[in-house]
Amino acid sequence: MSHDLARPRRLSPVDAAVDAALGSFMGLTSDVLLTFTRTGEITMANDVARELLPIPSADPSILDVFPAGRELGAYQDVTDDLPFGLDGQVAHVTCAGADGRTLDLDVRARRISVNRDLFVMAATPVDGRRLPSRELSELVSANKRLSGTLDVILGTIEAQDIMGLCDRVLSSLEDMLDADAAVMYLAERRSMRLAAGSAGADEQALPAVFATQGSVAELVSAHGRTVRYHLQPLGKRELREHDVAERTLSIDETGALLSVSSESVLPYSSAFAVPIIFGDQVIALIFVGWGASRALDSADARLLDAVAQYLSTQIMGMLSAMRSKRETELRQASTRLRDELAASEPGSDAWWDALREAAEVLSCDLVPLVEDEGARTARGDFPHAGTCELPLSLDELERGRAGSQGTVVEVTPHTDLGGWLASTGESGVGVLVDPGLVGGRRLAWLFLGREGAPMLTPRELSFCRGIVDAIRTQERGEQLRTHDRRISQALQQGMRNQLQHVEGICAHDVYSSATRDAFVGGDFYDLIRLPDRRACVVMGDVSGKGVQAAATSAAVKCALGAYAWQGLGPAHMVGMLNQFLLGFSRLETFATLFVGIVDLGQGRLTYCSAGHPPALLMRAGGSVLEALNVQSGVVGAFEDMAYRDGEVELMEGDTLLLYTDGTTEARAKDGSFFGEDGLRDALMNEDGSADELLEHLLARLDEFTSNQLDDDVALVSLRFDEVG
């Protein structure tokens, strides 16, 4: 059924790449070929289509070729009115040709875009109509290129993982160009790593990794487009040598000879090297090669450039998703590892087990290093070489960088340690980790990459640095915790939660810490008296505990107090506080917050609840309980967060209850939560005075949890005694 459509949107990078790829080879095919949108607009058409079909030069539409049987408005779906399907199946269609005569066509059409409705239609005349003059072999080759390129686009445009995309692309390229094999390498730091190969590459000896410098990858990166090259045969002298360090390539584009590292040479006498570029960075490299020397067509090189341009957005999107997933894995592993190290004695079996778990996260082997104090050397038990003494002392390997904070030193084949490891048959890739003296001993180790392992990424090196930081924090132990506790207590004195006296409001508060000796937590509240019978009530919960939470809580209270005296509305106050927190605190620190402006004269409460549990308003007499449900996002987490106000009418005798999530998330021994329902039931059954309300509620929590609260609890009640 037809339906009205929105006007065309700006092209996404994927759509622009699809158009560029199609535009690069549409002229090669002997088929009628055009693309059109769901509203019928013809976006591209090749010369064959314009010669045979009645396509106007201005505002061409698919309906000019295949008229609809009814009146259609602008921006309306035309696909239901076309005489062929959009599933790629062949349909026999009769239409008027550009010369006015009847034209019989075999038509195929299919949707080819992800983010917009773009369709490609290919058609072949079946009535003997003369086509543009071309050599038969040229037309066959061109059509095969078209089919292969469309197969790349249609087969990969909705690919879910990079390996599936690579396999489909390489198989299509191998078939399209009648190549012996096609392989893809992904760019890493200073190297290229084999990602996938076509069926023809399965039995070939391909380098798993090769350095970018001194290889054809360096040439292609500088060139910025597909390079055609041929591998020069070895001379008699080189054939006599067992190890040939370099091979020579001849480059079709320049006619120059290029010496490259033998380790980077693929087993192809002739090949296309196709860079996949995103921005100004080469993110991948495709090789399409032949075992025997052959001429390489520059038109094929241009076609491969178009395919690479399309693939760049696809591959970059998948790489970004992979990196994001890896970032999450490392962050979760880091948190888990810190807890495990903190719960075990340094140097114990449990401590080393935690580090073995970290090694698995990095796909490495753990090699503890034992330092010989007399000789100042170190030895370790390696997976392949067995027990070996390192060629240099730890201090020499670390070049004096250990110090009191420990050190992390990357190991690559180009470092002294990496080169020595490679000479023993071990991987020359990994990281040397030395947290310094731990419990009076030096406990260092290697995270040693397994065979063919890539160099560690900057984020993985940062993960190793986090392990050292966790161990150093543990080593400082009670002294550091005592130091933090004293600072936190000093901050607590400066930010003591208190409720100012406001005429017409009866205010009460309760704060219960989960543990006696816990650091100051992030729960805070305040009641600020303002002019004209107005007041600002604040309750919040900053993530974390200790110095950071206490410092952030103090800063938030001071800032809100200043904003309140400026006469700002709650949402405005919270928005300004969000910007303040993003510049003030750690990235992982955020806060939930309730800010309310009470106007006793107008009988109104205006509030902003930013990720905080909904406040409850008990109407006078206790028979009605209202939740203040206008909610916004948390504070201090995102730049462009929007906050909004809620408003409620106040009457004499109404009571406002504010609480932190330690209240509703309190758990019984069976694991059940107190929850909002438990809180509502407790309030509706409460018949005591206002000053007893919070004490009774806290008693209910203690009873529910068997006096074992998991989190701090803050409660504030405001009864409005003089309204109007």
Side-chain angles (χ1 to χ4, degrees):
M1 183 172 63
S2 297
H3 55 277
D4 291 333
L5 302 176
R7 289 179 177 271
R9 297 176 294 170
R10 183 183 299 273
L11 294 188
S12 72
V14 169
D15 290 319
V18 169
D19 286 356
L22 286 171
S24 295
F25 64 80
M26 282 181 73
L28 297 176
T29 179
S30 61
D31 275 351
V32 172
L33 190 67
L34 57 82
T35 61
F36 62 94
T37 66
R38 186 174 289 278
T39 59
E41 175 193 5
I42 294 177
T43 58
M44 287 187 289
N46 65 355
D47 291 340
V48 183
R50 294 190 180 279
E51 179 175 336
L52 295 183
L53 301 179
I55 300 175
S57 57
D59 299 324
S61 170
I62 195 71
L63 298 180
D64 295 322
V65 181
F66 307 104
R70 59 193 179 94
E71 189 70 25
L72 293 174
Y75 303 108
Q76 195 167 353
D77 189 342
V78 305
T79 56
D80 290 338
D81 295 276
L82 297 175
F84 50 83
L86 302 174
D87 56 0
Q89 298 298 314
V90 177
H92 184 75
V93 176
T94 300
C95 66
D99 56 5
R101 293 186 297 160
T102 299
L103 181 63
D104 290 328
L105 300 172
D106 280 341
V107 178
R108 308 178 304 282
R110 187 171 173 181
R111 178 173 178 265
I112 62 169
S113 175
V114 173
N115 297 315
R116 60 181 173 144
D117 286 321
L118 184 70
F119 303 87
V120 63
M121 186 202 84
T124 304
V126 294
D127 60 354
R129 190 67 55 92
R130 182 178 179 274
L131 296 174
S133 176
R134 293 189 183 184
E135 292 292 333
L136 179 61
S137 61
E138 179 187 355
L139 293 179
V140 171
S141 176
N143 282 340
K144 187 169 185 178
R145 302 293 192 266
L146 167 66
S147 176
T149 310
L150 283 176
D151 192 45
V152 169
I153 293 175
L154 297 175
T156 64
I157 199 164
E158 295 179 354
Q160 298 299 310
D161 64 88
I162 196 165
M163 295 311 299
L165 180 142
C166 291
D167 289 343
R168 185 64 181 264
V169 167
L170 298 176
S171 295
S172 297
L173 293 181
E174 178 185 271
D175 181 65
M176 180 173 73
L177 297 175
D178 294 317
D180 291 340
V183 296
M184 181 183 292
Y185 284 78
L186 294 179
E188 296 180 342
R189 292 189 304 142
R190 304 188 297 276
S191 66
M192 307 296 297
R193 172 166 295 278
L194 181 63
S198 64
D202 289 347
E203 303 301 322
Q204 296 175 341
L206 299 168
V209 183
F210 62 83
T212 304
Q213 186 176 7
S215 72
V216 69
E218 187 174 34
L219 168 68
V220 174
S221 297
H223 197 61
R225 58 182 182 273
T226 297
V227 169
R228 295 169 291 153
Y229 73 86
H230 308 274
L231 181 63
Q232 297 296 294
L234 294 172
K236 292 182 179 180
R237 180 179 59 81
E238 293 169 321
L239 288 171
R240 288 195 297 266
E241 296 178 3
H242 294 291
D243 267 336
V244 179
E246 293 185 340
R247 295 295 303 272
T248 301
L249 307 178
S250 62
I251 311 301
D252 281 3
E253 279 70 22
T254 63
L257 298 179
L258 175 71
S259 293
V260 299
S261 167
S262 294
E263 295 178 350
S264 68
V265 172
L266 277 64
Y268 308 131
S269 294
S270 298
F272 291 101
V274 187
I276 299 177
I277 301 172
F278 189 87
D280 58 354
Q281 297 293 318
V282 174
I283 60 174
L285 197 59
I286 291 177
F287 292 90
V288 183
W290 293 261
S293 182
R294 58 168 286 165
L296 300 176
D297 193 338
S298 60
D300 286 340
R302 292 192 298 272
L303 183 62
L304 288 169
D305 281 333
V307 172
Q309 183 181 1
Y310 158 70
L311 288 175
S312 66
T313 52
Q314 293 284 79
I315 291 178
M316 191 61 194
M318 291 182 179
L319 289 176
S320 297
M322 288 171 58
R323 288 169 185 155
S324 177
K325 181 180 178 181
R326 180 60 170 162
E327 178 79 20
T328 300
E329 290 174 350
L330 291 172
R331 184 168 58 249
Q332 292 173 345
S334 181
T335 300
R336 186 171 63 252
L337 186 62
R338 283 176 177 270
D339 292 341
E340 291 173 358
L341 289 174
S344 56
E345 185 71 21
S348 65
D349 290 343
W351 195 82
W352 285 111
D353 285 343
L355 294 178
R356 288 187 183 90
E357 181 183 339
E360 287 303 317
V361 171
L362 297 171
S363 298
C364 291
D365 291 315
L366 176 70
V367 180
L369 300 176
V370 179
E371 188 174 43
D372 185 330
E373 295 184 6
R376 304 302 296 171
T377 58
R379 65 182 182 278
D381 291 325
F382 294 91
H384 302 295
T387 302
C388 293
E389 188 174 279
L390 271 58
L392 299 170
S393 69
L394 291 179
D395 288 338
E396 289 171 323
L397 290 171
E398 296 164 7
R399 301 187 187 281
R401 286 179 287 179
S404 60
Q405 299 303 314
T407 190
V408 171
V409 180
E410 184 179 12
V411 178
T412 74
H414 305 292
T415 61
D416 292 339
L417 181 55
W420 174 80
L421 286 167
S423 71
T424 68
E426 299 290 344
S427 165
V429 170
V431 60
L432 170 63
V433 184
D434 182 4
L437 291 178
V438 181
R441 296 177 295 164
R442 194 169 189 177
L443 298 174
W445 66 89
L446 277 169
F447 284 135
L448 187 60
R450 289 156 188 164
E451 185 176 356
M455 289 185 291
L456 272 65
T457 66
R459 182 61 186 87
E460 288 170 335
L461 293 173
S462 178
F463 171 76
C464 296
R465 179 73 249 181
I467 295 174
V468 171
D469 291 344
I471 293 172
R472 295 311 309 166
T473 299
Q474 182 187 23
E475 178 67 12
R476 288 192 294 269
E478 186 59 34
Q479 180 181 359
L480 178 61
R481 289 193 291 273
T482 300
H483 179 66
D484 279 358
R485 186 182 295 112
R486 289 173 179 170
I487 295 176
S488 298
Q489 290 169 347
L491 286 168
Q492 185 184 34
Q493 293 300 317
M495 61 158 283
R496 185 180 298 277
N497 291 316
Q498 57 183 354
L499 304 177
Q500 296 181 15
H501 174 70
V502 178
E503 191 74 28
I505 298 178
C506 179
H508 296 278
D509 64 303
V510 167
Y511 187 94
S512 177
S513 177
T515 57
R516 290 184 179 180
D517 59 349
F519 290 174
V520 173
D523 292 3
F524 63 92
Y525 51 86
D526 205 354
L527 179 64
I528 305 167
R529 183 174 60 252
L530 299 175
D532 302 323
R533 300 183 65 203
R534 296 165 62 250
C536 176
V537 60
V538 173
M539 175 167 280
D541 185 0
V542 172
S543 62
K545 296 188 180 297
V547 175
Q548 181 68 29
T552 304
S553 298
V556 168
K557 287 187 66 175
C558 290
L560 288 175
Y563 298 156
W565 277 97
Q566 293 178 34
L568 304 179
H572 192 176
M573 294 166 65
V574 175
M576 292 181 65
L577 182 66
N578 185 57
Q579 296 302 316
F580 170 72
L581 273 183
L582 287 171
F584 168 80
S585 63
R586 300 177 303 172
L587 289 176
E588 63 267 28
T589 298
F590 61 91
T592 67
L593 193 63
F594 180 94
V595 178
I597 298 295
V598 178
D599 189 331
L600 293 174
Q602 297 293 325
R604 182 173 61 244
L605 169 67
T606 306
Y607 68 92
C608 179
S609 184
H612 201 75
L616 297 173
L617 184 64
M618 295 178 288
R619 291 301 184 180
S623 59
V624 178
L625 190 62
E626 296 180 16
L628 306 189
N629 285 326
V630 177
Q631 288 285 339
S632 302
V634 298
V635 185
F638 305 104
E639 280 281 353
D640 300 321
M641 182 68 73
Y643 299 97
R644 57 182 183 143
D645 283 331
E647 190 172 294
V648 65
E649 181 182 355
L650 298 178
M651 294 178 287
E652 283 191 7
D654 290 349
T655 299
L656 178 69
L657 177 70
L658 304 177
Y659 56 95
T660 55
D661 59 9
T663 306
T664 52
E665 293 180 5
R667 303 181 75 162
K669 285 186 175 181
D670 63 4
S672 60
F673 289 99
F674 190 67
E676 293 185 9
D677 290 341
L679 179 59
R680 286 174 173 271
D681 291 343
L683 293 175
M684 294 302 293
N685 293 327
E686 179 58 46
D687 56 4
S689 62
D691 57 348
E692 296 176 332
L693 172 66
L694 301 187
E695 292 296 338
H696 290 178
L697 182 55
L698 187 59
R700 285 287 296 272
L701 285 171
D702 286 338
E703 179 183 357
F704 183 80
T705 63
S706 301
N707 293 306
Q708 293 183 353
L709 285 171
D710 294 327
D711 197 2
D712 296 348
V713 169
L715 300 166
V716 169
S717 68
L718 304 181
R719 190 183 67 205
F720 307 107
D721 293 337
E722 298 178 14
V723 178

